[in-house]
Structure formats: structure tokens, C-alpha cells
Amino acid sequence: MCSVNANAQSAGDVSGRAQSSVADTSADEGVIVVNAQKRAQNVQDVGITINAFSAATLENAGIKDATQLTQLTPALNLSGSYGGQVLSFAIRGVTQQDFSAQAEGPVAVYLDDGYMALNNSAGVGLFDLDHVEVLKGPQGTLFGRNATGGLVNIVTRKPSDVADGYATISYGSYNEARAEAAVGGPIADGIAFRLAGAVSTNGAYIKNLSPTGGDLGGGHGYALRGHLNFKMSPDATLLLSGYASKSYSSWAPYYVFASTSVADANGIEQNTVEVPGPTGAGSPVTAGGSRQVISNYAQDSGGSNSLKGGTAKLTLNIGPELTLLTDYKDAETRFLIDAEGASSFFNGDTRSRVRNFSQEARLFGRNDGWRWYAGAYYLHINAQVDPNRSPFPAFGSIVDDYNKLITDSYSAFGQIEIDLAPQVTLVAGARVTREIKDFDYRAEVFSSDLTAVPIADLGPARTPYSGHRADWLYNGKAQLEYRPAQGLLFYAGWSRGSKAGNFTSPYAGSTTFPDSALSYKPETLNAYEVGTKADLLGRVIQLDASGFYYDYKNYQSFQFVGLSSLVVNRPAQTYGGELMLNVRPAEGLTMSGGASFTHNNIKDVPVGGVVKDRIAPFTSKWQALASVAYTWNALGGKVTANANGHYTGPFYFSVSNFSTTHVAGYTTLDLRLSWADVGDMWKLSVFGTNVTQEKYRTVGFDLTGLCGCTQVGYGRPRWLGASVTRNF
């Protein structure tokens, strides 16, 4: 998905350096203003663990979509399905894998102030940005919506009174071609605009050896965005934003390996393990990183992602600042999968549409020695799967799942910051939410031929189900902040995040679980965190560190058994810490490093006929990163060299923690060399991602009980390219 809307903040008189996990060589020396507390603040003055990245930092790191933020941010992982085409964020072990459209994740994604309800929000394209923020820990007081584990806030460029723009073209491996451009400035007194767009295409990088299949991994798409800003008076501003995007892709690029169950003396499965091929369904093994599959049904086209919508933001100074925000998004997706490869066992074709409308009114006021927020928020979501088609060609049948979830959420919130002393601040806030959900599900069986074309309706696969939930959710925050000197902050606090209950949608009409198991409870996270942010030696050194303990009640744990999925509530605890260090030892040289440690424990997970403690999926105990950037004068301009390395420790892609779901740790290295003229009007770059050709798994599903196989997706291979940019 490639989509953005905008409401960028100007740094103004706010100064400071951003916590960034890649070297920032921009002219502002790393200064970033963030909106983590719904107002413009220096990132180093906010008592929250934040990784913030300027547009220059993201460009130097070669970041083009939100999924790549995991390469720059400790304790940020991706969870996903469909070979990595459906992706959501996981932070510090807070994750949920349910890939159905009605399932929202516990790590929220915002395009400026607009919430993205679609669970594939991690795939948002990034272009013409101001900055991106990754906030860690519950953010439910001010943001509210499903920010239990944190949120990713994407802030794009806003119209200004200065006419400017740029155009960039690039070409890379596998015939990847990309062009993006933006232009903006004043068009009348008090009226300014900005237009931005991007188009891209790339060829397949996975060879399909089946004579009836197509090569995989290719795609193309476009994105457009426009803003119109009206400064109606010194105290009134209206920003109107509109956007539309669409991308097309191949079938999901899954590989398979053979797997078998390990049972106890009573025949109860205790583990699944990889074995030599072929799979139980007769398909050859393709996993191993060779970038070759044997997939009879998978084709080089068919998948799609689209997003359109608009935002209206009215800001009024009426003593306190009043913000009125209206946002609408309409997202449609189609994903296709040949689940087990060369056999004709089963496939998948999922079509979803998610529309969400929100309205927020909030006040922010400053008084002598204290600051305050108050607001109300309404959200309506209409999420539909129409249908999730599961062809079983070998059995001459098709099952179509249909589901619809209507959500109405109402909340009120407030927060206050009181300066107890010149160096001590107390922060306290609360949010109350009433959330109502109505869910409908049905499944139909059709006869079919080997081409998976439906012939006749054979009736319901499962008795239709309707469910209703109405939950009260309570979020809060209490924190002390101590600033003993300029550029030095210590903080300690408690925050509470929550995520409403929901419904599991059975897969392919499965009756493995009864109706009574389909509804699950809200989850609640009590988080305790201490941290420090320090600018030392005149900003030569920046050190940020934090430690946390999470106590989960009713953690929403997703399990996949055969073709049946279920979310169950379990208690869980997580603790860990993060460290970031940025050093500028000499002019033009920046070095950065960081690491995170996360220990997670989900209790009482049903495995093998008993309950066991398990590690949350997509949660690495250790992650680390390092980067270096050096700029020097040469060739009539400036040359900048960047190197960024990232280590992801081992993790599981299922809460079962079976051997087949274990992913080995891996390290990737990205390089970039750029030249810019003295006036910064022209910029030429050459770059490479995953230059060491690391072969690493990213997502997967254990289907041992169904086809004697396990699906896995792999990260992209080495990718080389070059680009040219013209600024004006």
C-alpha cells in the first residue's frame, strides 16, 4: 500500500536533537519536532521512548515504506501473513497475528492525526515526508485507539509560504523503476498548496518453475496526495487533505518445507519439526532461500491494495487551542495464495474492504506552570471480507467465508502537566471509551473443477453466526519528570493501555471451535517505565535509555490450528530495556548504535493437551543496530557515505513455539553513497540493501496437520540501484 496524508509541524523556536537509530546528516543537525503529545515538542523533551526520523534520515537510509522502519528501530518487529504482503507492527512483544480485515492490531498507525483501521497498515508507502515517529509503550490517553503497545505516527509535508519542490527518479535490481515528485507554495494571500505523487514498478524476483504458474514478487502502483491550507486569520487555520493510491502485486510469495508432528504416547501433538521432502501433500520443498518455487496456481498478478480518503483539520485559537479533525479512509485489498505449492490441495483468495470515519475535538491550553488537554473522539469502522475464498481443487470444492464487523467507539480524554518545581513536572491523564461491535459471519460451500471455478452452491459450511459486544475501556497515565539541567531528562511512570474485545472469523467454514469461542475479551496492559534522555558535550553525544515492565491481563493470543484460527485471552508479562547512542566526534562524521532486550512470557497457552508458558510471536529477545555517516567536500559539492547494519534475534512466528515456527537470527547491511552540489539542487546516489545477500525468513504458518507442510516467507534479496534528484 502506498498512501499518505499530511499535517507537518514546523520546528519554530523548538530546538533539540532527535533520537535516531541511523546517522542523520541533515543540515538541521538532527533537530526533529514530534507530535507525540498532540503538540509540537522537541523529541528530547518528551518523557516517552521515541525513535524519530527526519525526511533526510529516511532518505539516507533508503526507506521507502513503513515496513523498513524495523531496520532503524530497536524492539520494533513485523508480524504478518500472505508471504509478507499483509504486515502489522509489533513492539516489545505486543502483537497480534490475526490477518482478517476485522482484526485491528495493538500497535496503531496514524497518518498525522488520522487512524488507519486496516490491519495491513505497516505497508504504507513513505514519500514527501516531514518525519516519522515510533512511540513505545501504551499511548492510549491522548491517541486512544489500539495503541496498547505503541504507535507509528507518519507526518508528511505541509503546505508552506515558500515555493519549493523536487523530483526523483531511480532504477534498481529486477527492473525496479520509481519516480516521485512534489511541488508546493502560496497561490493567494493566506492560501498555500502542496501536491505530491509517486509511481513505481519492479519485476519478479522469485522464479516459479511450474509451467502453469507465474513468477512472483513483482508489482506496480501509484500514489497521489494533495493539501490545501487556508490561513483564515491569525487565529484560524484550515487544512484540507486528499489522497488516493493503488498497488498491484503477484500472488503471495510463499515457500514450503515438509513437516511432521511429534506426538506423545497418547497421540497428542507436542511439537512439529522439519523433515526431508516432499510435503505430505506431495509438493517439492522450496524453502531455503533459493528464490525458486514450484507453485501450480500462483500467478504474477492478481493481488491489489488501494486506499483513498480525506482529512479536514480546523485549528482555532480561542484562548486555548481548539482542534477539530474529521478523517475518512476507504481501503480495499485482495490477496491470493497457493498454500502448499505443486499439489492441488488448497488455495486462498481474500477480498476485504475497510472504511473508517472519525471525528475528534480537542483543546490544549497553557497556563503559568501547567498545561492541559481535554477532548472527545468518535470512530466508526465498517470492515468486510467479501469473500475469503478457499478453493480445494483436489476435493472438487470451494468454501467462501463472508464476515462483516461494525464498530462504533466513543471516548473522552484529558491530560494535565503540572510543574511542581522548576525542575520537576507531574503528568497525569485518563481516557474512557465505550466501544460497541456487531459481527456477522457465514460460509458457503460450492462444488468446483480443478481450475477452482465454482459450479454449484451446496449450502452453508457452518451455521451462520452473529455476535454483539459492548465494552468499557479505561486508559491512564501518571509520570514524574525531572530536568536537573538543560539537555537532561529523567522520567518514571505508569501507563495503562487497552484494546477492545472482538471476534474470530472461522477460516474455510471450520467447525473446530464452537460459537462460544469466537468472541474474546478486551486486553489491558499496565506498563511501568523509567528512562533518561541526555544531550552531552554540546550535543556531541546523545544517550537515551529506558527500562520497562509490562503486566498484561487478557492478552489476545492468536493461534492457528490446521485451517482454523482462534484468539484466546491469556495473562502475560514482559520486561526489558533499550539503549540508543549517537556520537558526532568530528565535523561531518556521525556514528549511532542501539540495542534492545525483551523478555516475554505468555502464560497458560493450550499446547499438546496441557497449558504451557510461551513467547509471543515475532518477539526477538535481542535486537541491535549500528550506523555511520560521513560527509566531506569533493567533486565541487559534498559526498556522503552511509552504512547501516541491523541484527534481529531469533523469534517464533506462532505462539505454539513449535520447532517449525522458529526463525533464526539474521543481520542485514545497507550501503549508500551520495553526491550533492553546493546549492543542494542536484543529488546523485547509488545504494544497496541487504548487500551481503542474507537469506532470512520473515513470516510463516505451520500447516503440518493439514498438508504435512509449513509455509514461510523470505526477506528481499540484495537490491542495488541508483537515483537522481532535482530540487527547486
Side-chain angles (χ1 to χ4, degrees):
M1 182 179 297
C2 188
S3 55
V4 275
N5 70 348
N7 176 25
Q9 294 283 355
S10 172
D13 59 356
V14 184
S15 62
R17 282 183 55 209
Q19 175 178 328
S20 174
S21 36
V22 295
D24 191 336
T25 60
S26 58
D28 60 4
E29 293 299 308
V31 176
I32 297 182
V33 175
V34 296
N35 302 331
Q37 298 190 117
K38 298 281 189 173
R39 71 180 195 266
Q41 290 178 280
N42 169 14
V43 66
Q44 288 299 97
D45 198 41
V46 180
I48 299 171
T49 301
I50 306 174
N51 294 96
F53 309 98
S54 69
T57 299
L58 295 169
E59 180 185 358
N60 290 336
I63 303 301
K64 294 301 180 184
D65 68 73
T67 63
Q68 296 172 294
L69 294 173
T70 59
Q71 300 295 311
L72 312 181
T73 311
L76 179 68
N77 289 77
L78 289 171
S79 64
S81 60
Y82 288 94
Q85 291 181 345
V86 176
L87 293 169
S88 299
F89 288 113
I91 296 179
R92 295 175 171 176
V94 180
T95 184
Q96 205 240 77
Q97 293 173 264
D98 195 342
F99 50 85
S100 187
Q102 88 282 353
E104 301 170 73
V107 176
V109 175
Y110 281 77
L111 297 176
D112 302 297
D113 279 319
Y115 173 68
M116 291 194 65
L118 183 69
N119 66 354
N120 190 30
S121 53
V124 174
L126 304 179
F127 66 100
D128 197 34
L129 294 178
D130 184 88
H131 69 278
V132 175
E133 310 163 15
V134 179
L135 283 61
K136 299 175 182 177
Q139 307 298 322
T141 303
L142 293 180
F143 284 90
R145 187 68 194 169
N146 291 349
T148 313
L151 64 90
V152 176
N153 191 23
I154 300 168
V155 183
T156 59
R157 290 197 63 181
K158 179 181 179 180
S160 71
D161 294 331
V162 177
D164 69 340
Y166 72 92
T168 298
I169 57 173
S170 63
Y171 184 80
S173 299
Y174 304 96
N175 290 322
E176 180 187 44
R178 177 184 173 93
E180 65 177 80
V183 61
I187 56 177
D189 187 26
I191 304 176
F193 82 102
R194 189 162 188 89
L195 295 174
V199 294
S200 64
T201 182
N202 68 269
Y205 57 89
I206 299 171
K207 179 68 176 176
N208 190 349
L209 301 179
S210 169
T212 61
D215 295 340
L216 307 179
H220 60 280
Y222 70 88
L224 299 171
R225 181 176 63 243
H227 307 288
L228 201 56
N229 193 67
F230 299 87
K231 190 171 181 59
M232 298 178 290
S233 74
D235 297 321
T237 301
L238 174 64
L239 176 66
L240 301 178
S241 303
Y243 44 89
S245 66
K246 185 139 191 181
S247 61
Y248 302 87
S249 61
S250 70
W251 285 43
Y254 264 132
Y255 303 77
V256 297
F257 62 81
S259 53
T260 190
S261 294
V262 177
D264 62 15
N266 297 317
I268 299 176
E269 184 178 70
Q270 300 296 311
N271 193 11
T272 58
V273 296
E274 184 173 354
V275 295
T279 70
S283 297
V285 170
T286 55
S290 66
R291 300 200 306 278
Q292 291 183 342
V293 299
I294 305 173
S295 188
N296 293 344
Y297 287 89
Q299 301 299 321
D300 58 7
S301 63
S304 64
N305 240 320
S306 70
L307 177 69
K308 56 181 178 289
T311 305
K313 183 176 183 180
L314 178 64
T315 305
L316 302 171
N317 185 355
I318 58 174
E321 181 180 87
L322 171 64
T323 300
L324 301 174
L325 182 82
T326 303
D327 181 71
Y328 174 77
K329 292 181 174 65
D330 185 349
E332 294 186 74
T333 62
R334 185 185 184 191
F335 300 108
L336 301 107
I337 181 174
D338 184 351
E340 81 307 316
S343 72
S344 301
F345 198 61
F346 78 99
N347 304 321
D349 181 355
T350 302
R351 304 175 192 233
S352 305
R353 186 178 185 185
V354 178
R355 289 166 286 178
N356 61 279
F357 168 83
S358 64
Q359 179 68 58
E360 182 175 25
R362 66 175 183 264
L363 288 165
F364 170 67
R366 296 177 182 269
N367 300 84
D368 188 20
W370 59 290
R371 297 152 298 282
W372 59 274
Y373 302 84
Y377 181 76
Y378 168 71
L379 174 68
H380 174 82
I381 304 174
N382 183 335
Q384 299 181 61
V385 174
D386 187 13
N388 175 52
R389 172 160 291 179
S390 302
F392 297 84
F395 301 97
S397 64
I398 291 174
V399 182
D400 280 358
D401 298 309
Y402 301 84
N403 71 58
K404 181 177 181 179
L405 179 70
I406 301 296
T407 301
D408 288 290
S409 181
Y410 312 83
S411 60
F413 60 91
Q415 182 167 299
I416 189 169
E417 304 170 9
I418 303 174
D419 298 329
L420 302 178
Q423 297 173 327
V424 181
T425 300
L426 171 67
V427 181
R431 188 182 193 107
V432 179
T433 300
R434 178 65 167 175
E435 186 147 320
I436 301 168
K437 294 178 182 287
D438 289 287
F439 178 70
D440 293 292
Y441 169 85
R442 64 184 177 89
E444 297 289 329
V445 181
F446 299 86
S447 61
S448 74
D449 57 21
L450 283 176
T451 63
V453 174
I455 298 173
D457 190 341
L458 303 180
R462 174 183 175 131
T463 303
Y465 171 84
S466 294
H468 173 81
R469 291 200 61 93
D471 298 319
W472 285 101
L473 307 173
Y474 304 97
N475 297 329
K477 179 174 183 173
Q479 182 164 293
L480 278 175
E481 300 176 350
Y482 176 51
R483 297 172 175 82
Q486 185 175 0
L488 186 59
L489 166 65
F490 296 94
Y491 60 93
W494 160 86
S495 58
R496 174 187 168 108
S498 60
K499 180 173 177 283
N502 206 337
F503 301 89
T504 301
S505 179
Y507 190 84
S510 171
T511 57
T512 303
F513 303 110
D515 287 356
S516 59
L518 299 185
S519 177
Y520 52 91
K521 300 176 184 178
E523 64 179 14
T524 301
L525 173 62
N526 286 289
Y528 307 87
E529 184 158 347
V530 297
T532 183
K533 297 184 177 185
D535 285 328
L536 307 172
L537 302 179
R539 298 181 182 173
V540 171
I541 299 175
Q542 175 191 313
L543 176 66
D544 295 349
S546 62
F548 62 90
Y549 174 77
Y550 289 174
D551 186 11
Y552 243 121
K553 180 181 179 182
N554 290 326
Y555 170 80
Q556 295 171 355
S557 174
F558 176 86
Q559 294 178 266
F560 200 74
V561 181
L563 271 184
S564 187
S565 60
L566 187 70
V567 176
V568 295
N569 295 106
R570 294 290 180 259
Q573 284 81 39
T574 305
Y575 63 83
E578 297 178 38
L579 178 70
M580 284 299 308
L581 177 66
N582 293 287
V583 182
R584 299 175 184 268
E587 183 177 356
L589 177 62
T590 302
M591 297 182 293
S592 302
S596 64
F597 170 78
T598 305
H599 182 277
N600 173 266
N601 184 33
I602 305 175
K603 298 183 177 180
D604 303 334
V605 177
V607 179
V610 297
V611 293
K612 299 180 180 181
D613 290 356
R614 285 294 185 253
I615 300 170
F618 299 100
T619 301
S620 298
K621 178 166 286 190
W622 289 101
Q623 286 183 276
L625 53 90
S627 67
V628 60
Y630 182 58
T631 300
W632 68 97
N633 295 322
L635 304 174
K638 290 189 174 182
V639 177
T640 300
N642 290 79
N644 301 300
H646 182 270
Y647 168 74
T648 298
F651 62 88
Y652 296 94
F653 58 69
S654 170
V655 74
S656 72
N657 290 186
F658 284 171
S659 298
T660 54
T661 72
H662 183 264
V663 175
Y666 59 88
T667 301
T668 58
L669 176 65
D670 301 337
L671 301 174
R672 175 174 288 257
L673 183 67
S674 301
W675 172 87
D677 66 352
V678 175
D680 198 29
M681 300 300 291
W682 288 95
K683 185 174 185 179
L684 308 176
S685 301
V686 292
F687 51 84
T689 60
N690 191 17
V691 295
T692 58
Q693 195 73 299
E694 184 84 349
K695 299 176 181 178
Y696 59 96
R697 295 176 181 177
T698 55
V699 298
F701 280 102
D702 179 2
L703 301 177
T704 301
L706 185 69
C707 60
C709 66
T710 297
Q711 303 170 328
V712 289
Y714 282 81
R716 295 214 306 183
R718 178 170 53 226
W719 213 278
L720 306 176
S723 67
V724 57
T725 298
R726 177 68 162 94
N727 296 309
F728 53 89

